[in-house]
Amino acid sequence: MSFAKSVWKILVAIKDGLVLLFLLLFFAALYAVLSVRPAPGQVQSGALYVPLAGAVVEEASDISPTAFLSGQTPVAEYTARDLSRAITEAATDKRIKAVVLDLEAFGGGASVHLSQVGAAMDKVRAAKKPVLVRSLIYTDDAMQLAAHASEVWVDPMGGVVVTGPGGSRLYYKGLIDKLKATVHVFKVGTYKSAVEPYMRADMSPEAREAMQGVYGAIWQNWQDEVKKARPKADLAPMLTDPEKWVATSGGDAAQAAQKSGLVDRVGDSVSFGKRVAELVGADEDAGLGGFKSTELPVYLADKAPSTAGKAIAVVTVAGEIVDGDAGPGTAGGDRIANLIDGVTQSDDYAGLVLRVDSPGGSVLASERIRNAVERVKAKGLPVAVSMGSLAASGGYWVSTPAQRIFAEPSTITGSIGVFAVLPTFENALPQIGVTTDSIGTTPLSGQPDILGGLSPQISAVLQGQVERIYARFLGLVSKSRGKSSAEIDKIAQGRVWDGGTARQLGLVDEFGGLDQAVAWVAKQAKAKEWHAAYVMDEPSPFAQFFRQMESGEVPAAGSHDLAGALAARQQGLLARLEADLARLTTDGGIKAYCLECAGEERSAAAAEQSGGMLRILMRFVG
């Protein structure tokens, strides 16, 4: 009988292996068919059509076949630089008569990235070409983009719902107390609110002060941008009394938006398509409301970036900074350091721009990236940092070698501070009849002991390490900014700042995007002509396969009516709950969390690696 069971197990294992092999072969064949890149010459006279069925990001995430086979659905992502480059090219392309954006399945994006795309839309309008946008519902992000259009359409069943930054935060002190767990927090910084969810039941006055300042600045920047782009729009009724605003239009949110000048026309997708067809020509083969168009992937293939002049290397640090080779979309410290070292070893580059869009992460990984940037400087090449939506804590650590730091007014930066969080269960286990006892040969034997509790000695060691690393952080920033450590400490303490305030404090040198940073490096290199050369890893075959699918018939984001759009905005709380608990309980229960930057951070928990006590314990807050 045991022999028969063994044979059966072998047969089942062979069957499972063959199924997996056939699946991999199937997707490899499907990828081979679909991964043929669009060829130049396919652009037709008409509109540049951009259906944004996903999120606008700094760097598209890699997609692993393992994640796919485990049931994780890839999220559609569009890089801000590709979008803005395509739209900018359309301004002077005689084949493109209009730019059309469909935002019905738009997944949102950081304010800095949307401003970048909006500026490209402004260039098309300045070239006397129409820019048309349609959607069912315009939330904050979609409205920021739509404001730059010459014609904004909304579905009769839709409207505009703008909430502004802010919302509920999750705190776990009550749950931790009920479980009789003990959370040990080692930190430096009055404003290091990333640890507050495990220590408090509410927000501290210091954290509230910091976030009100950051959110207030970002919210004001949003309003200023929308008002500048659509000067006739009246935002006040919607923002001050939304109930009355909709009621005065008989409960019709679409009509309320039109009366306020937030949208120009009310009509369904067919009516919108017919309007575009009037401008660029109808496409009879595309059905009712079809219009002549070229989609984004084809247009990007046709419009290759310039390679004239000297090459200015651009290396991107996007997502949480983690140890190892993770990414793209997650900033694996070893992977990025290797990319930067490639710039040092090559004679093809005249300088380096480090593009940072990160909430921070591992101290060791951040230091590896920083050291690699220092090696570029040691070679004599000029170095600048371009901050995207977020360059906080570890994101600021890697920025310290730069000779010039560029940021946007809505960039979130600062958060200069470090912490470690470690839960123990010495009071919880006896409740279920489990106790511990130990022997040791030194005061640190068996420590840190998450079951039996921490000894005073290990607690002192960990707090000392946090303080030492904080002092090093202050030293790096003070050297970079030409200030004393005491001066930096006054504006550090873990506090986050908006880009405008950071510039006033001297943490940022000037406002500007990536183009301005590249131009500055080129000037320092005495280059009369230059181009940005992105130094990056090629996406995996599976990632390329799914990105191809995103540009076709498989949108990853769904459209919502008004109630659905509001509900969808709150789904992030569930993801936050899962991520918070994962940070506390995985890899020995120790994780870092940037509470202040939660709205900007892209999850990279699955990609984090551990190794060594400090590698696990010491994490930046971004």
Side-chain angles (χ1 to χ4, degrees):
M1 181 63 70
S2 60
F3 175 74
K5 287 183 178 180
S6 298
V7 172
W8 178 252
K9 289 180 179 179
I10 293 172
L11 291 175
V12 170
I14 293 173
K15 183 265 294 181
D16 291 342
L18 288 174
V19 169
L20 180 60
L21 177 62
F22 283 130
L23 276 174
L24 292 174
L25 289 174
F26 168 76
F27 284 114
L30 193 57
Y31 165 72
V33 173
L34 296 180
S35 64
V36 178
R37 297 182 182 276
Q42 295 178 327
V43 176
Q44 65 171 320
S45 177
L48 171 61
Y49 179 47
V50 185
L52 284 179
V56 176
V57 298
E58 181 65 42
E59 181 181 59
S61 301
D62 198 12
I63 301 169
S64 70
T66 304
F68 171 78
L69 292 173
S70 66
Q72 299 180 25
T73 304
V75 176
E77 294 175 332
Y78 305 83
T79 61
R81 71 168 179 266
D82 282 346
L83 276 173
S84 57
R85 180 170 70 84
I87 294 172
T88 298
E89 291 280 5
T92 55
D93 191 333
K94 294 181 179 179
R95 298 169 297 179
I96 302 300
K97 310 301 180 185
V99 171
V100 178
L101 275 68
D102 191 325
L103 303 181
E104 185 163 322
F106 182 39
S111 181
V112 167
H113 295 140
L114 301 184
S115 294
Q116 179 182 346
V117 178
M121 295 165 67
D122 292 341
K123 292 177 182 177
V124 176
R125 294 184 62 182
K128 307 301 181 184
K129 294 184 180 182
V131 179
L132 297 92
V133 175
R134 72 161 298 272
S135 187
L136 177 63
I137 297 295
Y138 291 95
T139 56
D140 303 42
D141 295 349
M143 194 64 238
Q144 184 179 352
L145 272 186
H148 294 271
S150 52
E151 245 179 71
V152 181
W153 283 62
V154 67
D155 192 274
M157 299 298 293
V160 177
V161 52
V162 174
T163 61
S168 296
R169 305 252 179 208
L170 297 171
Y171 293 85
Y172 308 104
K173 181 64 165 62
L175 174 63
I176 291 169
D177 289 345
K178 285 185 177 181
L179 296 175
K180 296 189 180 300
T182 303
V183 176
H184 304 267
V185 175
F186 309 95
K187 73 184 184 80
V188 180
T190 304
Y191 297 92
K192 221 49 175 159
S193 61
V195 297
E196 287 189 356
Y198 313 117
M199 299 170 58
R200 300 176 56 94
D202 58 0
M203 192 180 301
S204 70
E206 294 82 7
R208 187 176 300 277
E209 173 195 359
M211 290 316 301
Q212 281 181 335
V214 171
Y215 278 171
I218 292 175
W219 178 227
Q220 188 60 56
N221 292 337
W222 185 95
Q223 294 179 74
D224 292 344
E225 180 176 338
V226 172
K227 288 177 182 177
K228 181 180 179 181
R230 293 185 74 81
K232 294 182 180 180
D234 185 7
L235 296 174
M238 175 184 64
L239 300 180
T240 57
D241 194 346
E243 180 183 8
K244 180 180 178 181
W245 176 63
V246 176
T248 55
S249 295
D252 190 328
Q255 290 296 330
Q258 187 178 30
K259 289 178 181 178
S260 294
L262 295 170
V263 304
D264 301 300
R265 299 196 186 188
V266 178
D268 61 15
S269 58
V270 173
S271 299
F272 176 77
K274 289 181 177 179
R275 168 58 180 159
V276 177
E278 292 176 3
L279 298 170
V280 304
D283 183 353
E284 304 298 340
D285 296 332
L288 199 61
F291 52 88
K292 294 180 179 179
S293 65
T294 300
E295 294 200 4
L296 182 66
V298 173
Y299 194 66
L300 285 171
D302 184 79
K303 289 288 187 179
S306 170
T307 56
K310 291 186 177 180
I312 307 299
V314 178
V315 176
T316 302
V317 181
E320 189 170 349
I321 300 174
V322 300
D323 300 311
D325 296 320
T330 301
D334 292 343
R335 177 181 65 85
I336 293 175
N338 288 337
L339 292 175
I340 297 171
D341 283 338
V343 175
T344 304
Q345 294 164 2
S346 173
D347 293 326
D348 296 335
Y349 304 104
L352 170 68
V353 174
L354 196 69
R355 174 68 171 180
V356 181
D357 194 69
S358 171
S362 161
V363 170
L364 296 181
S366 299
E367 178 66 358
R368 284 197 172 97
I369 295 171
R370 189 195 70 82
N371 282 331
V373 177
E374 289 284 9
R375 288 190 285 272
V376 174
K377 282 179 61 180
K379 186 180 179 180
L381 299 181
V383 175
V385 160
S386 170
M387 293 181 171
S389 62
L390 181 60
S393 204
Y396 199 90
W397 181 292
V398 302
S399 302
T400 54
Q403 296 153 313
R404 196 78 173 169
I405 295 178
F406 294 79
E408 303 285 2
S410 292
T411 298
I412 297 177
T413 188
S415 191
I416 300 167
V418 294
F419 71 91
V421 179
L422 181 62
T424 59
F425 303 95
E426 66 273 17
N427 297 319
L429 293 179
Q431 305 300 311
I432 58 174
V434 178
T435 57
T436 64
D437 200 355
S438 63
I439 59 173
T441 54
T442 74
L444 298 183
S445 293
Q447 293 292 328
D449 186 350
I450 64 171
L451 300 179
L454 303 186
S455 69
Q457 292 87 350
I458 192 64
S459 295
V461 168
L462 292 176
Q463 182 62 35
Q465 289 298 310
V466 168
E467 292 174 0
R468 183 183 70 83
I469 292 175
Y470 179 66
R472 174 162 174 73
F473 201 169
L474 291 181
L476 292 173
V477 178
S478 66
K479 179 181 178 182
S480 170
R481 301 286 89 195
K483 298 176 181 290
S484 67
S485 291
E487 289 175 309
I488 296 299
D489 188 41
K490 291 179 181 178
I491 58 176
Q493 294 288 316
R495 179 162 182 168
V496 294
W497 305 99
D498 63 275
T501 306
R503 184 185 180 191
Q504 295 173 5
L505 294 172
L507 294 175
V508 167
D509 293 304
E510 64 179 276
F511 290 149
L514 181 59
D515 290 344
Q516 286 73 31
V518 171
W520 183 88
V521 169
K523 183 178 180 180
Q524 302 307 304
K526 296 180 171 55
K528 295 182 179 179
E529 192 174 9
W530 66 88
H531 68 276
Y534 291 91
V535 181
M536 56 189 180
D537 297 296
E538 284 296 322
S540 68
F542 260 74
Q544 294 182 54
F545 164 65
F546 281 110
R547 296 309 174 207
Q548 289 288 334
M549 290 178 68
E550 287 163 11
S551 64
E553 303 296 329
V554 190
S559 59
H560 300 282
D561 58 18
L562 187 59
L566 289 171
R569 292 174 65 87
Q570 298 307 313
Q571 290 177 0
L573 280 177
L574 298 177
R576 285 268 304 283
L577 174 62
E578 182 180 358
D580 286 348
L581 295 179
R583 286 184 173 93
L584 191 63
T585 58
T586 58
D587 284 351
I590 305 160
K591 286 285 184 179
Y593 182 40
C594 173
L595 181 66
E596 303 94 323
C597 310
E600 304 288 340
E601 180 184 2
R602 293 195 300 170
S603 176
E608 274 205 40
Q609 305 294 325
S610 62
M613 183 171 68
L614 287 182
R615 186 185 301 250
I616 295 175
L617 293 181
M618 300 302 168
R619 290 284 192 269
F620 278 100
V621 182

